[in-house]
């Protein structure tokens, strides 16, 4: 399975459809709000949302949807990134509610080699998020610094930093009551 791309693997105009989608639960929404200290009642208080808002129910906090889509795009876009350089724009186009399923896709808008280092480049992408009915809910553009194939080879290949597999297995002690043994048994005794 591929995790991210090198600079050479990006093609301007390519569209990456991220898989799988994610169904947003009330728990996801509330946990994100609590972790980020966003306690707005539109997201946290069902009674408030039902009685005082146009939606009549809680709206999922937009930054969770953005974060979810950003995470969905990592295996296709920034899994090998050296740095995320810029979020150029972020638009919340339509509300998301508990129980909606989010799907994402990213289009490569442009790419260019780094001006300062020849072993990396910049990729400009736009990610869009949709609900299960096809409604566009969020769109954002970002610039990501990614390695070239040369950079990857010089720094350990596809899985840099992964330790080698040890084929040494420590001696194991049988569990109490285990009558199996690796010792051959004598027959007839």
């Amino acid at each position: 399975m591929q995790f991210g791309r090198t600079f050479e693997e990006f093609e301007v105009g390519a569209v990456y459809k991220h898989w799988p989608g994610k169904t947003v639960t009330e728990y996801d929404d509330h946990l994100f709000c609590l972790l980020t200290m966003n306690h707005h009642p539109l997201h946290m208080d069902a009674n408030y949302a039902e009685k005082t808002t146009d939606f009549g129910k809680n709206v999922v906090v937009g930054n969770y949807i953005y974060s979810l889509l950003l995470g969905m795009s990592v295996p296709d876009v920034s899994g090998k990134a050296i740095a995320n350089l810029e979020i150029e724009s972020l638009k919340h186009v339509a509300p998301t509610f508990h129980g909606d399923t989010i799907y994402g896709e990213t289009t490569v808008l442009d790419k260019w080699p780094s001006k300062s280092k020849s072993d990396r480049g910049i990729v400009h992408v736009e990610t869009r998020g949709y609900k299960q009915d096809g409604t566009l809910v969020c769109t954002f553009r970002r610039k990501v610094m990614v390695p070239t194939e040369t950079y990857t080879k010089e720094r350990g290949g596809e899985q840099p930093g992964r330790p080698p597999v040890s084929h040494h297995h420590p001696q194991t002690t049988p569990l109490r009551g285990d009558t199996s043994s690796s010792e051959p048994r004598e027959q007839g005794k």
Side-chain angles (χ1 to χ4, degrees):
M1 178 177 168
Q2 180 165 319
F3 193 72
R5 288 178 161 75
T6 61
F7 181 71
E8 294 85 353
E9 293 175 301
F10 284 95
E11 184 179 322
V12 174
V15 177
Y16 308 124
K17 293 182 184 279
H18 312 309
W19 185 257
K22 168 74 171 87
T23 302
V24 178
T25 67
E26 181 178 28
Y27 175 82
D28 298 332
D29 184 30
H30 287 194
L31 180 60
F32 191 89
C33 287
L34 293 170
L35 288 171
T36 59
M37 295 182 66
N38 180 349
H39 302 155
H40 193 294
L42 177 62
H43 311 303
M44 302 288 294
D45 182 333
N47 182 59
Y48 167 88
E50 181 183 332
K51 292 180 178 174
T52 68
T53 72
D54 292 341
F55 304 110
K57 57 186 172 180
N58 289 128
V59 175
V60 176
V61 65
N63 281 337
Y64 173 64
I65 300 302
Y66 158 71
S67 296
L68 183 60
L69 288 162
L70 183 66
M72 285 179 178
S73 74
V74 169
D76 293 311
V77 177
S78 56
K80 288 182 174 62
I82 297 168
N84 277 297
L85 300 176
E86 174 183 357
I87 300 298
E88 180 180 291
S89 63
L90 170 60
K91 297 176 185 172
H92 298 289
V93 182
T96 303
F97 303 103
H98 303 151
D100 282 339
T101 301
I102 303 299
Y103 296 95
E105 65 181 38
T106 297
T107 300
V108 180
L109 302 173
D110 200 1
K111 73 178 208 175
W112 56 90
S114 169
K115 293 179 176 108
S116 61
K117 296 187 179 183
S118 63
D119 66 351
R120 58 199 70 188
I122 313 302
V123 179
H124 186 208
V125 297
E126 180 179 69
T127 300
R128 291 167 308 285
Y130 301 90
K131 292 201 293 192
Q132 67 280 354
D133 63 2
T135 301
L136 179 67
V137 294
C138 181
T139 181
F140 60 93
R141 291 183 174 199
R142 65 181 173 136
K143 292 178 181 144
V144 183
M145 180 183 291
V146 296
T148 62
E149 291 172 3
T150 300
Y151 178 104
T152 301
K153 286 177 191 166
E154 289 175 354
R155 287 173 172 78
E158 263 317 288
Q159 298 179 352
R162 182 176 177 149
V165 176
S166 170
H167 293 289
H168 172 72
H169 300 288
Q171 186 66 30
T172 58
T173 305
L175 297 173
R176 191 170 14 160
D178 184 1
T179 58
S180 64
S181 171
S182 58
E183 300 287 325
R185 293 186 182 179
E186 289 184 41
Q187 295 294 327
K189 286 193 177 181

